Amino acid sequence: MKPRSLLLLFFLAGCSGHPGGLESRLLSDYRLTDHRKKGISSTYIYEKPEGKIFIERLACADRASMEKTVREDMLTVKMLYSDTLSPYPGYISYRITADKSVLPEYREKGAGDTYYRYFLLYSNDRLSLGITSMDAASHRYLHGWITRSGNNILYRVKIFEPLDTGSREIEEIFFSLVCRD
Amino acid sequence: MLKKYFMFFILIAVSFVLAVALKPVFHKKNSRLYWFIPDGMRADPGIFNVFQWADEGLLPNIKKMMSRGTYGFCKPVYPGHTPVNFATLFTGSYPEVHKVSDGPMHEEGKPLSSVAVGGFSSVAKKVDPIWLTLENGGARVGLLSIPGSTPPELKNGYTMVGRWGGWGASFHAVNFEEKGSGERQFNLGSSKRLFFFGPPLLIFAESSETEDYPGELKTFSAVRRAGLSAWGATVSGCIYDSTDDGTVNYDRMAFSTDGKTVSVDLKQGQWSEWLPIKLLWHDKKTDTSAEIDTVFKIKVTKLDGKGFFAVRFYYNAMNETLTDPGYIASDMIENVGPMVDFVDNFPPQLIYYPEDRNTFLEEADMSFDWHTRACSYFIDTYRPDVFIHDIYTPNQMLTSRWWMGYIDPDSPFYNEVGDKERDRLWAEVKDMYRKLDRIIGVYLKKARKNDVVVLSSDHGAAPLHTWVHVNNLFASKGWLKCRQDRESGEYIIDWEKSKAVYLKFGHVYVNPAGLHNSEGRWERGSGPEYIRFREEVAESVRNLRDSRNAAPLAKICSWEDAEKEFRLPHERSGDLLISNVPGYGWSETMTPDRILFSRPLKTGYKQAIICENSPCMWTPFIIVGPDIKQDNFLKDDLLSMTDQYPTIMKALGRECPGFVQGKVIRKAFLKEDN
């Protein structure tokens, strides 16, 4: 590792801390590589050699706008895999159809006053949504939202792990994130 | 105690210095990049000589770029279609490497009845686009209306409305017109829908006399009311007669979003202001939806005395689901205004009535105004190191019905208008170029001494005079088995029994054993019978002749030669690849009469043309930067689309990734050997 990178890590570790009000025993496996704040959003990026976690903390105006954000986010994911129309299509073939193997799998779970909603997916090597076949898959990908009753803080979480990571393993990382807000 | 405070101060100071010093450095010279890539901006040494127009004073900002930089004409890769050439510009490689071979792409093992990979999606590219490479190098990147940029890939930048990546809630403009006899609806078939089979772009609405209308309307004939419903919202339209002249001559249309009060009252030719509306973003597959609060504009395109109407609803093209991060949308809308991204739709809707032409021009103006304000505001507010920007309106104009066929002498329709009318059409086209020039002016104004400013485009546009109905040919030979649904007019293909089909834009799929296997998937054929039949199909396309005994085919090859002949990836190519002579366009559309050729309503086209020897498909390339030669016209070189990327990277002082196939345009640099 270059000296400059080491200094950067030192600086980030010293200044950024944990991601807002989220804590996780498993985050110690990762190093915090970036923290940035834009408007109501604070984003924390954690990395380890074969994985990456993006945690975005959104301080929403109220409960309704928080739920609206979650609903729109979820629809964005669903629509990407929903036999979308092909631009400049032919007269005969016009819908983009994704393989069943890469379709998003929605799950949710409550734990105390914390609510976990998420899709299990696959991403390409550029950590993007929307691949239509396993040939393009490079990572196991969990795209989720964590909310807690009683406040308007929304955590948008994206977890990227090696392709052979099982659902339970990636879910374990997600569920290890506990709200302290 | 003082010592403790002193140590604390030192710690803070050291942290601050480290934070500043260790911020990733984008470039040793700190050059920013402003790259403007209007879609379909034709530039050639003949009739679209933009450099000559600039010399003549028509395009002052392009002239400034020419004086301060290096410029020339550029040839797109094959096919001359948006997603392919944007991918080439952004990766410096041919489709054989970046793998975007077309808009709709098919792959072995998937059904041909649907598209396996959409070329406009960011995930279609198999190598990194320039925005990721630069972001990984520390640049803060902004992307506006860039095809292939969504779903978003930037992790620390700004992605705004990537065209047609299937990401976010896009609400395309919708036209409504009086249902009348329904004959027009039948004739239009599926072309009245977005991308042919999507949400309708043209909705036929039935009006009827009513007593129930807002009280403030003073009418002298019976009011006719029509419900205008699109995207889950209904607007009531009341056609009324404001003239007390004893005759029924409707002249106004009032619109109400709540069914009770008048939101806006318009006569033919008028636009409303932006009006609030709540639209429904709905996923049919999972039956889930979200309401999106947005705004829209109404244009009364046509309203005759008898009450026949044609109106257009243009919906704000930006909302929080279409930008990343989402808050950019509200900031841009608040400070720039609701987004008019581009004019018209695909398939085009503003081509049916003479009045559509004016609507087209007005909407085009609104899109130029928005983009001009947007790039200025974004750069001032977000100060990106890299900003890449596209506007789709030029393509829409040059491939529409109204212009290309009557201004390019290569079109057989050229003499269908007189010189005076042609002068007017040219004035409108050049006015569009002036508006592009105005956007370039923003970049030149914002650019500092060391910044790099680039003007490119993805393709030009050729006159279109004939559709070639390849699938009618195959159906008449018994190779394509299909039936027409009586109600919808759509053709239903029997894929297992079909042996040949043409799919956009330049691909023919052939298999004598059937195009789909028993599992409903396409498998590439092989063996002597496959080779023999493929040659028979190829021969049938070679032998096509129109009424003038001219052949539409320019070049044909089999998939094994896809890389060699077209630099396309064989795995995303049909069994036969076919390109057409300029003037023709391959069409998937089938008709009951099995005609092989027809006259299109639109008069411009670009997709399946080999660009090298077709100047109508060429584009401009101008680069301005600190190490770039000034007033340097590369008039003897036809530049390659792949060479722009490495040239820009060199101007920024950056290394190219290994996959880049293009070469630096060394003549552009002050020190050519570097």
Side-chain angles (χ1 to χ4, degrees):
Chain A
M1 187 178 282
K2 290 179 183 174
R4 208 171 75 178
S5 305
L6 277 171
L7 284 169
L8 176 63
L9 282 178
F10 165 77
F11 174 70
L12 287 169
C15 300
S16 301
H18 62 80
L22 270 192
E23 287 178 5
S24 168
R25 62 191 161 78
L26 296 181
L27 280 184
S28 58
D29 295 346
Y30 299 76
R31 59 189 173 86
L32 179 68
T33 56
D34 199 1
H35 168 220
R36 51 182 182 262
K37 190 168 166 49
K38 295 176 188 172
I40 61 163
S41 143
S42 301
T43 303
Y44 302 80
I45 302 175
Y46 289 85
E47 291 185 61
K48 65 180 182 180
E50 292 179 329
K52 202 163 185 173
I53 302 178
F54 293 77
I55 299 174
E56 185 184 8
R57 180 183 186 274
L58 283 163
C60 300
D62 50 43
R63 196 86 191 158
S65 69
M66 183 178 82
E67 283 303 316
K68 186 173 187 293
T69 302
V70 174
R71 213 163 39 243
E72 289 175 2
D73 280 2
M74 290 172 72
L75 202 50
T76 299
V77 175
K78 286 179 186 175
M79 291 292 271
L80 270 174
Y81 300 89
S82 192
D83 293 354
T84 49
L85 292 158
S86 168
Y88 283 98
Y91 189 79
I92 293 172
S93 80
Y94 44 86
R95 286 198 182 278
I96 303 168
T97 303
D99 285 353
K100 280 182 184 168
S101 56
V102 298
L103 293 179
E105 187 184 340
Y106 178 72
R107 295 180 185 180
E108 54 190 28
K109 178 187 163 181
D113 59 359
T114 305
Y115 195 34
Y116 298 86
R117 287 172 274 188
Y118 58 103
F119 288 105
L120 291 169
L121 297 142
Y122 296 91
S123 84
N124 67 3
D125 56 0
R126 300 197 291 275
L127 311 183
S128 281
L129 278 166
I131 59 168
T132 51
S133 72
M134 281 301 284
D135 307 343
S138 292
H139 293 86
R140 193 74 167 125
Y141 173 19
L142 186 149
H143 189 109
W145 302 266
I146 304 175
T147 54
R148 193 179 183 195
S149 58
N151 68 26
N152 307 325
I153 306 298
L154 167 64
Y155 291 94
R156 245 187 213 134
V157 179
K158 298 174 186 175
I159 303 172
F160 300 89
E161 289 292 309
L163 194 55
D164 57 1
T165 305
S167 302
R168 279 195 182 177
E169 291 166 78
I170 201 164
E171 283 174 325
E172 189 188 356
I173 300 168
F174 186 52
F175 296 143
S176 78
L177 296 165
V178 179
C179 285
R180 295 293 178 221
D181 270 321
Chain B
M1 188 70 175
L2 274 175
K3 192 178 174 187
K4 196 174 171 186
Y5 278 123
F6 179 73
M7 290 305 291
F8 180 70
F9 173 77
I10 291 292
L11 187 64
I12 294 290
V14 167
S15 298
F16 178 76
V17 169
L18 281 174
V20 171
L22 299 176
K23 182 173 183 261
V25 178
F26 170 48
H27 172 240
K28 59 186 178 188
K29 296 177 205 160
N30 203 21
S31 291
R32 289 177 178 166
L33 169 65
Y34 300 142
W35 192 0
F36 183 42
I37 317 173
D39 195 309
M41 181 182 177
R42 176 175 165 180
D44 64 62
I47 63 167
F48 276 75
N49 195 333
V50 294
F51 302 134
Q52 189 183 319
W53 297 350
D55 279 332
E56 291 166 358
L58 182 76
L59 309 170
N61 293 305
I62 288 182
K63 176 63 182 171
K64 276 184 201 165
M65 286 192 78
M66 290 157 59
S67 303
R68 296 178 194 172
T70 291
Y71 60 101
F73 296 108
C74 184
K75 60 176 179 187
V77 299
Y78 179 85
H81 186 24
T82 295
V84 182
N85 277 284
F86 267 97
T88 298
L89 284 169
F90 294 145
T91 63
S93 62
Y94 287 96
E96 64 193 4
V97 167
H98 61 64
K99 308 292 183 189
V100 181
S101 64
D102 214 327
M105 293 185 280
H106 302 273
E107 291 179 331
E108 196 172 359
K110 315 272 177 65
L112 292 174
S113 51
S114 57
V115 173
V117 183
F120 282 85
S121 169
S122 57
V123 299
K125 288 186 286 293
K126 294 284 190 180
V127 293
D128 285 358
I130 194 167
W131 50 77
L132 269 191
T133 306
L134 293 176
E135 184 179 69
N136 291 337
R140 182 63 61 93
V141 182
L143 304 173
L144 177 57
S145 295
I146 297 297
S149 66
T150 56
E153 298 178 312
L154 292 173
K155 303 296 179 281
N156 195 24
Y158 309 93
T159 306
M160 294 170 278
V161 189
R163 179 151 45 90
W164 298 338
W167 182 78
S170 283
F171 300 107
H172 301 281
V174 173
N175 287 7
F176 298 89
E177 72 174 55
E178 175 69 51
K179 191 174 182 181
S181 67
E183 188 182 342
R184 188 164 123 75
Q185 183 173 7
F186 183 81
N187 290 338
L188 284 170
S190 51
S191 68
K192 66 183 184 298
R193 286 175 170 270
L194 174 69
F195 308 144
F196 291 112
F197 294 95
L201 296 171
L202 173 58
I203 296 172
F204 291 91
E206 202 161 6
S207 70
S208 57
E209 287 188 11
T210 181
E211 299 275 312
D212 178 25
Y213 57 86
E216 61 251 54
L217 297 184
K218 280 193 174 176
T219 185
F220 298 93
S221 302
V223 171
R224 299 186 67 81
R225 185 193 276 265
L228 311 174
S229 301
W231 303 115
T234 298
V235 176
S236 175
C238 290
I239 303 133
Y240 73 100
D241 177 2
S242 70
T243 54
D244 184 11
D245 55 7
T247 58
V248 177
N249 50 354
Y250 292 103
D251 63 336
R252 298 196 71 87
M253 195 160 178
F255 298 88
S256 172
T257 51
D258 63 7
K260 295 169 191 163
T261 54
V262 173
S263 307
V264 66
D265 184 1
L266 303 170
K267 61 181 181 182
Q268 179 174 310
Q270 288 184 323
W271 282 93
S272 72
E273 296 299 314
W274 290 104
L275 304 166
I277 196 164
K278 202 181 278 287
L279 302 178
L280 197 66
W281 185 30
H282 181 67
D283 174 29
K284 272 187 185 172
K285 195 171 179 180
T286 57
D287 195 24
T288 48
S289 56
E291 282 184 335
I292 306 286
D293 288 308
T294 187
V295 290
F296 76 122
K297 265 177 180 285
I298 302 172
K299 164 79 192 280
V300 177
T301 302
K302 196 173 170 64
L303 177 60
D304 71 16
K306 292 176 183 170
F308 176 86
F309 66 89
V311 300
R312 180 167 177 81
F313 289 3
Y314 194 101
Y315 302 95
N316 172 19
M318 185 177 270
N319 59 59
E320 291 198 359
T321 70
L322 292 166
T323 66
D324 185 32
Y327 68 79
I328 293 282
S330 46
D331 185 33
M332 294 291 282
I333 292 165
E334 188 180 332
N335 292 286
V336 180
M339 184 186 198
V340 180
D341 194 10
F342 57 83
V343 60
D344 209 349
N345 309 77
F346 187 87
Q349 295 298 308
L350 298 174
I351 58 172
Y352 296 109
Y353 301 111
E355 293 85 352
D356 286 336
R357 202 170 141 280
N358 279 342
T359 303
F360 187 106
L361 290 170
E362 291 154 3
E363 205 168 280
D365 276 358
M366 291 191 281
S367 72
F368 280 117
D369 286 346
W370 191 89
H371 278 271
T372 307
R373 290 195 305 272
C375 61
S376 178
Y377 175 77
F378 185 82
I379 289 171
D380 287 346
T381 308
Y382 295 93
R383 303 191 176 279
D385 303 308
V386 173
F387 187 56
I388 308 176
H389 177 195
D390 168 35
I391 178 169
Y392 186 46
T393 295
N395 172 82
Q396 295 293 77
M397 184 173 209
L398 298 186
T399 61
S400 179
R401 172 181 180 174
W402 310 106
W403 291 278
M404 186 60 81
Y406 311 104
I407 59 173
D408 186 330
D410 284 343
S411 167
F413 313 140
Y414 183 77
N415 289 320
E416 289 185 5
V417 301
D419 288 343
K420 198 175 167 189
E421 170 68 2
R422 188 166 12 264
D423 287 347
R424 188 170 65 96
L425 297 175
W426 261 121
E428 288 165 352
V429 168
K430 288 187 178 178
D431 190 49
M432 181 268 283
Y433 276 76
R434 255 198 303 268
K435 282 159 187 157
L436 290 173
D437 187 76
R438 195 175 65 188
I439 295 176
I440 293 161
V442 173
Y443 291 114
L444 292 179
K445 200 172 166 187
K446 306 286 179 197
R448 303 163 309 176
K449 192 180 168 193
N450 281 336
D451 292 343
V452 176
V453 183
V454 181
L455 171 68
S456 308
S457 183
D458 55 342
H459 55 72
L464 173 70
H465 57 72
T466 304
W467 284 134
V468 185
H469 298 276
V470 187
N471 286 327
N472 274 352
L473 170 72
F474 295 161
S476 64
K477 288 187 174 287
W479 299 334
L480 182 57
K481 306 285 187 191
C482 58
R483 64 179 174 81
Q484 190 175 19
D485 185 277
R486 282 193 175 187
E487 284 188 9
S488 67
E490 293 175 23
Y491 280 87
I492 295 155
I493 311 288
D494 185 339
W495 292 97
E496 282 188 50
K497 289 182 181 162
S498 293
K499 298 176 181 178
V501 69
Y502 158 76
L503 298 176
K504 274 184 172 181
F505 277 93
H507 304 267
V508 173
Y509 293 81
V510 169
N511 194 332
L515 291 171
H516 278 183
N517 61 21
S518 56
E519 294 171 351
R521 296 173 187 278
W522 168 61
E523 286 175 353
R524 183 91 74 187
S526 62
E529 177 53 17
Y530 166 73
I531 300 292
R532 187 206 64 74
F533 181 65
R534 187 174 72 183
E535 182 49 30
E536 188 181 350
V537 174
E539 196 60 15
S540 73
V541 179
R542 280 189 204 104
N543 289 337
L544 275 169
R545 293 292 181 277
D546 67 7
S547 57
R548 292 169 297 175
N549 202 32
L553 183 73
K555 185 174 176 180
I556 188 167
C557 80
S558 56
W559 67 269
E560 296 94 330
D561 293 326
E563 280 86 356
K564 186 178 144 208
E565 297 294 334
F566 288 104
R567 306 208 73 159
L568 290 174
H570 66 271
E571 67 272 30
R572 286 180 173 175
S573 293
D575 296 278
L576 293 166
L577 290 102
I578 53 173
S579 70
N580 56 254
V581 172
Y584 296 90
W586 306 126
S587 171
E588 273 186 30
T589 308
M590 302 177 71
T591 55
D593 54 11
R594 298 283 184 261
I595 52 164
L596 297 182
F597 301 96
S598 68
R599 177 173 173 170
L601 206 48
K602 56 189 260 176
T603 64
Y605 178 82
K606 78 270 183 174
Q607 278 95 356
I609 297 170
I610 297 172
C611 303
E612 188 140 2
N613 300 316
S614 305
C616 55
M617 293 298 295
W618 297 355
T619 61
F621 175 65
I622 315 179
I623 183 165
V624 173
D627 296 331
I628 300 294
K629 278 187 194 165
Q630 300 194 354
D631 201 13
N632 181 29
F633 183 22
L634 303 176
K635 64 182 173 192
D636 298 324
D637 301 292
L638 178 56
L639 307 174
S640 170
M641 208 60 102
T642 51
D643 295 344
Q644 295 192 26
Y645 178 112
T647 303
I648 291 167
M649 291 295 264
K650 180 175 165 56
L652 293 170
R654 313 257 332 157
E655 295 294 317
C656 285
F659 58 76
V660 172
Q661 295 172 296
K663 307 288 179 206
V664 172
I665 304 169
R666 298 208 171 273
K667 289 179 183 176
F669 290 88
L670 291 167
K671 293 178 185 173
E672 289 187 21
D673 295 336
N674 282 349

